[in-house]
Amino acid sequence: MPQATDYHELPAPASDMARIEALWSFEASSAGEHLVLPDGRMDLIVRFAVDADGQVSGTTVIVAGPAQTTARVDVRAQECFLGIRFRIGWGGACLGVDPASLRDTTLSGADAERLIGDGARHLRAATTVTALYEALLDCARRRSQQAADVSAETTLAIDLLHRSGGRASQTELAAASGLAPRSLRRRIAATVGLSYKAFASVLRFQRTLRLLAQQPATSLGQAALEGGYSDQAHMTREFRRHGGFTPGTRPPAVLIGMPLGGLAETFKQGGGEAG
């Protein structure tokens, strides 16, 4: 099956990174099923093949909405993907769509092209990987520049919840952002496309996966405690919900950008509210 090491993050101009989190590539080392774990973000992706002369063919445009469950994607050996991952809370604004309308949904082909407009034509016209990379970055840059602003209070609350690994409570986030708890929940749902509770749960799942992948290995009991779960059984239920597997039977998969230090450790003893 394809391996997590088939995934690579690529450099992007610093001027484009305020609303774009990363550019990435994936080239399948073998045919099979690739797991895409939920992380609450949105991506603009092109799927394509490259021949022996370096020519691109079969380009398909994809828009991946904010997910709370794992997607299983069948890929062919040497099939390629290039992607733009928007920062949490910016995907809907940059793509001009209500993110909740794409929850656990992937648009492909004509549906994705209608969403991104004229940029799709340039993506399909690219004949080399370099040209495709530039067209994808240009499309994302243009969408980013046209995006409606997300309020500073909402951005701060989302960032703090992200960096806490989903463990910051509503009370803590409300105090830090100046938003009332009800307004906080409403804004997160509207901006991210997931409810506060679902978003926090996905972030806990991502962070705990990273804890379990550390060396030396973290025990399951300690991972549950540090991950913000009430107990190991709670962690197992959430892993089944988001990943379709248990903490002790984790398949190879890409872990995306959840910090383990800094603000993530600030809330280590706190735990989050379930509201």
Short mmCIF file of all heavy atoms in Angstrom, two decimals, residues 12 32 44 52 56 60 74 80 101 105 107 116 118 138 156 169 172 182 186 190 193 215 217 223 229 248 256 269:
data_model
loop_
_atom_site.label_atom_id
_atom_site.label_comp_id
_atom_site.label_asym_id
_atom_site.label_seq_id
_atom_site.Cartn_x
_atom_site.Cartn_y
_atom_site.Cartn_z
N ALA A 12 7.00 27.49 0.07
CA ALA A 12 6.11 28.46 -0.55
C ALA A 12 6.60 29.85 -0.17
O ALA A 12 7.17 30.04 0.91
CB ALA A 12 4.67 28.26 -0.10
N GLY A 32 -2.76 1.09 -4.35
CA GLY A 32 -3.47 0.66 -3.16
C GLY A 32 -4.31 1.76 -2.57
O GLY A 32 -4.61 2.77 -3.23
N LEU A 44 -7.03 22.58 -1.76
CA LEU A 44 -7.20 22.65 -3.21
C LEU A 44 -6.13 21.75 -3.81
O LEU A 44 -4.94 21.94 -3.56
CB LEU A 44 -7.04 24.09 -3.70
CG LEU A 44 -7.03 24.29 -5.22
CD1 LEU A 44 -8.34 23.83 -5.85
CD2 LEU A 44 -6.76 25.76 -5.55
N ALA A 52 7.19 9.47 -19.00
CA ALA A 52 8.65 9.35 -18.94
C ALA A 52 9.35 10.63 -19.40
O ALA A 52 10.50 10.88 -19.03
CB ALA A 52 9.11 8.17 -19.80
N VAL A 56 2.70 16.16 -18.09
CA VAL A 56 1.55 15.93 -17.22
C VAL A 56 0.33 15.58 -18.05
O VAL A 56 0.10 16.16 -19.12
CB VAL A 56 1.29 17.19 -16.37
CG1 VAL A 56 -0.09 17.13 -15.70
CG2 VAL A 56 2.37 17.38 -15.33
N THR A 60 -6.92 16.31 -12.79
CA THR A 60 -8.24 16.44 -12.18
C THR A 60 -8.14 17.42 -11.02
O THR A 60 -7.26 17.28 -10.16
CB THR A 60 -8.76 15.09 -11.66
OG1 THR A 60 -8.83 14.16 -12.74
CG2 THR A 60 -10.14 15.24 -11.03
N ASP A 74 -8.24 5.34 -3.36
CA ASP A 74 -7.53 4.36 -4.18
C ASP A 74 -6.61 5.09 -5.16
O ASP A 74 -7.05 5.99 -5.89
CB ASP A 74 -8.52 3.49 -4.97
CG ASP A 74 -9.26 2.51 -4.07
OD1 ASP A 74 -8.63 2.00 -3.13
OD2 ASP A 74 -10.46 2.28 -4.31
N CYS A 80 0.27 11.03 -9.02
CA CYS A 80 0.76 12.20 -8.30
C CYS A 80 -0.37 13.14 -7.88
O CYS A 80 -1.42 13.22 -8.54
CB CYS A 80 1.73 12.98 -9.19
SG CYS A 80 3.19 12.05 -9.69
N SER A 101 -20.89 23.35 4.06
CA SER A 101 -21.53 22.68 2.92
C SER A 101 -20.62 21.60 2.33
O SER A 101 -21.08 20.75 1.57
CB SER A 101 -21.89 23.70 1.84
OG SER A 101 -20.73 24.22 1.20
N THR A 105 -16.80 16.11 2.62
CA THR A 105 -17.13 16.04 1.20
C THR A 105 -15.92 16.42 0.36
O THR A 105 -15.15 17.31 0.74
CB THR A 105 -18.30 17.00 0.88
OG1 THR A 105 -19.45 16.59 1.60
CG2 THR A 105 -18.62 17.00 -0.61
N LEU A 107 -15.12 17.58 -3.63
CA LEU A 107 -15.57 17.91 -4.97
C LEU A 107 -14.46 17.55 -5.95
O LEU A 107 -13.29 17.80 -5.70
CB LEU A 107 -15.88 19.40 -5.09
CG LEU A 107 -16.96 19.98 -4.18
CD1 LEU A 107 -17.14 21.47 -4.46
CD2 LEU A 107 -18.28 19.24 -4.35
N ILE A 116 -13.82 26.96 -8.26
CA ILE A 116 -12.63 27.83 -8.30
C ILE A 116 -12.57 28.72 -9.53
O ILE A 116 -11.71 29.60 -9.63
CB ILE A 116 -11.33 27.02 -8.18
CG1 ILE A 116 -11.12 26.11 -9.39
CG2 ILE A 116 -11.33 26.20 -6.90
CD1 ILE A 116 -9.76 25.47 -9.40
N ASP A 118 -11.99 30.54 -13.07
CA ASP A 118 -11.06 30.60 -14.19
C ASP A 118 -9.73 29.92 -13.89
O ASP A 118 -9.04 29.47 -14.81
CB ASP A 118 -10.81 32.06 -14.58
CG ASP A 118 -10.04 32.20 -15.88
OD1 ASP A 118 -10.50 31.66 -16.90
OD2 ASP A 118 -8.96 32.82 -15.85
N ASP A 138 -0.62 30.11 -8.01
CA ASP A 138 -1.24 31.36 -8.48
C ASP A 138 -2.74 31.35 -8.22
O ASP A 138 -3.31 32.37 -7.80
CB ASP A 138 -0.96 31.53 -9.98
CG ASP A 138 -1.52 32.85 -10.52
OD1 ASP A 138 -1.04 33.91 -10.09
OD2 ASP A 138 -2.45 32.80 -11.35
N LEU A 156 -8.06 34.16 16.49
CA LEU A 156 -7.33 33.88 17.73
C LEU A 156 -7.92 32.66 18.43
O LEU A 156 -7.17 31.78 18.89
CB LEU A 156 -7.40 35.10 18.66
CG LEU A 156 -6.78 34.92 20.06
CD1 LEU A 156 -5.30 34.58 19.95
CD2 LEU A 156 -6.98 36.17 20.90
N SER A 169 -10.58 24.88 26.94
CA SER A 169 -12.01 24.93 27.22
C SER A 169 -12.65 26.16 26.58
O SER A 169 -11.97 27.13 26.23
CB SER A 169 -12.26 24.96 28.73
OG SER A 169 -11.86 26.21 29.26
N GLU A 172 -11.77 29.23 28.59
CA GLU A 172 -10.43 29.76 28.30
C GLU A 172 -10.40 30.49 26.97
O GLU A 172 -9.81 31.59 26.86
CB GLU A 172 -9.42 28.61 28.30
CG GLU A 172 -9.17 28.02 29.68
CD GLU A 172 -8.43 26.68 29.61
OE1 GLU A 172 -8.68 25.90 28.68
OE2 GLU A 172 -7.60 26.46 30.50
N ARG A 182 -21.31 31.39 23.47
CA ARG A 182 -22.25 31.05 22.39
C ARG A 182 -21.77 31.62 21.06
O ARG A 182 -21.82 30.96 20.01
CB ARG A 182 -23.64 31.58 22.71
CG ARG A 182 -24.68 31.26 21.63
CD ARG A 182 -26.07 31.70 22.03
NE ARG A 182 -26.55 30.94 23.18
CZ ARG A 182 -27.76 31.10 23.72
NH1 ARG A 182 -28.59 32.01 23.23
NH2 ARG A 182 -28.13 30.37 24.75
N ARG A 186 -20.59 29.61 17.61
CA ARG A 186 -21.20 29.94 16.32
C ARG A 186 -20.14 30.34 15.29
O ARG A 186 -20.19 29.93 14.13
CB ARG A 186 -22.20 31.08 16.51
CG ARG A 186 -22.98 31.45 15.25
CD ARG A 186 -24.08 32.45 15.52
NE ARG A 186 -23.53 33.72 16.00
CZ ARG A 186 -23.68 34.18 17.24
NH1 ARG A 186 -24.35 33.47 18.14
NH2 ARG A 186 -23.17 35.34 17.59
N ALA A 190 -19.12 28.42 11.78
CA ALA A 190 -19.29 29.10 10.50
C ALA A 190 -17.97 29.22 9.74
O ALA A 190 -17.95 29.17 8.51
CB ALA A 190 -19.87 30.50 10.73
N GLY A 193 -16.35 25.10 9.58
CA GLY A 193 -17.24 24.14 8.93
C GLY A 193 -17.55 22.94 9.79
O GLY A 193 -18.30 22.06 9.38
N GLN A 215 9.09 8.86 19.78
CA GLN A 215 10.04 7.90 20.34
C GLN A 215 10.78 8.56 21.50
O GLN A 215 11.26 9.69 21.34
CB GLN A 215 11.04 7.45 19.26
CG GLN A 215 10.41 6.65 18.13
CD GLN A 215 9.76 5.35 18.61
OE1 GLN A 215 10.23 4.73 19.56
NE2 GLN A 215 8.67 4.95 17.96
N ALA A 217 8.15 5.53 22.72
CA ALA A 217 6.70 5.46 22.58
C ALA A 217 5.99 5.85 23.88
O ALA A 217 6.43 5.50 24.98
CB ALA A 217 6.29 4.05 22.17
N ALA A 223 -1.04 8.51 26.84
CA ALA A 223 -1.52 9.26 25.68
C ALA A 223 -2.95 9.74 25.90
O ALA A 223 -3.29 10.88 25.53
CB ALA A 223 -1.46 8.38 24.43
N TYR A 229 -8.40 13.13 27.02
CA TYR A 229 -9.54 12.23 27.09
C TYR A 229 -9.85 11.89 28.54
O TYR A 229 -8.96 11.91 29.40
CB TYR A 229 -9.26 10.94 26.30
CG TYR A 229 -9.02 11.19 24.82
CD1 TYR A 229 -7.72 11.22 24.29
CD2 TYR A 229 -10.08 11.40 23.96
CE1 TYR A 229 -7.50 11.46 22.94
CE2 TYR A 229 -9.87 11.64 22.61
CZ TYR A 229 -8.58 11.67 22.11
OH TYR A 229 -8.37 11.91 20.77
N GLY A 248 -4.14 1.30 19.40
CA GLY A 248 -3.12 0.26 19.36
C GLY A 248 -2.93 -0.39 18.01
O GLY A 248 -2.01 -1.20 17.83
N ILE A 256 -0.43 15.63 10.03
CA ILE A 256 -0.28 16.99 9.54
C ILE A 256 -0.16 17.98 10.69
O ILE A 256 -1.06 18.12 11.52
CB ILE A 256 -1.50 17.40 8.68
CG1 ILE A 256 -1.65 16.46 7.50
CG2 ILE A 256 -1.38 18.83 8.21
CD1 ILE A 256 -0.50 16.49 6.53
N GLN A 269 -2.68 20.25 31.48
CA GLN A 269 -3.41 19.77 32.65
C GLN A 269 -4.87 20.19 32.63
O GLN A 269 -5.60 19.87 33.56
CB GLN A 269 -2.73 20.32 33.93
CG GLN A 269 -1.26 19.93 34.05
CD GLN A 269 -1.05 18.44 34.05
OE1 GLN A 269 -1.84 17.70 34.61
NE2 GLN A 269 0.04 17.98 33.41
#
